[in-house]
Amino acid sequence: MQASLPIMAATDTNSDLSSLIEENKLGHWCRSDDVEEFYLKSKLFIDKNYANKLGSNSQNFFEKNFTSTHAVNIILNKIKKIEKVV
């Protein structure tokens, strides 16, 4: 994500990464035991324009959601909510 590369993830079906990746057009996902699907989806990255677009989406998503500033803001908001309760 940070390197502006598309994601090719192979995880179990219990992972929430599949929806995150597919819905945000960050790359592709398949079940970890589906080698053929992994191969077919990986081949899609041969199209450089397509791969670059997904990579750009991935980097933008990372910058909006996974920076240290974002993490600190989430933590501070949780603390503020707890302080209101106490």
Side-chain angles (χ1 to χ4, degrees), residues 8-72:
M8 184 62 232
T11 66
D12 62 49
T13 55
N14 296 319
S15 172
D16 59 350
L17 287 176
S18 61
S19 58
L20 179 89
I21 292 167
E22 298 282 342
E23 290 171 10
N24 292 287
K25 297 179 175 40
L26 309 176
H28 293 289
W29 171 88
C30 70
R31 289 187 349 256
S32 58
D33 61 351
D34 193 340
V35 176
E36 184 175 350
E37 187 72 10
F38 185 88
Y39 171 75
L40 293 173
K41 288 189 174 184
S42 295
K43 281 180 56 174
L44 297 172
F45 298 135
I46 291 172
D47 179 342
K48 293 295 183 195
N49 290 327
Y50 179 70
N52 288 339
K53 176 64 178 155
L54 295 178
S56 178
N57 293 347
S58 181
Q59 182 178 28
N60 291 334
F61 188 86
F62 176 83
E63 290 171 356
K64 289 179 184 174
N65 298 286
F66 293 108
T67 62
S68 56
T69 302
H70 184 71
V72 168

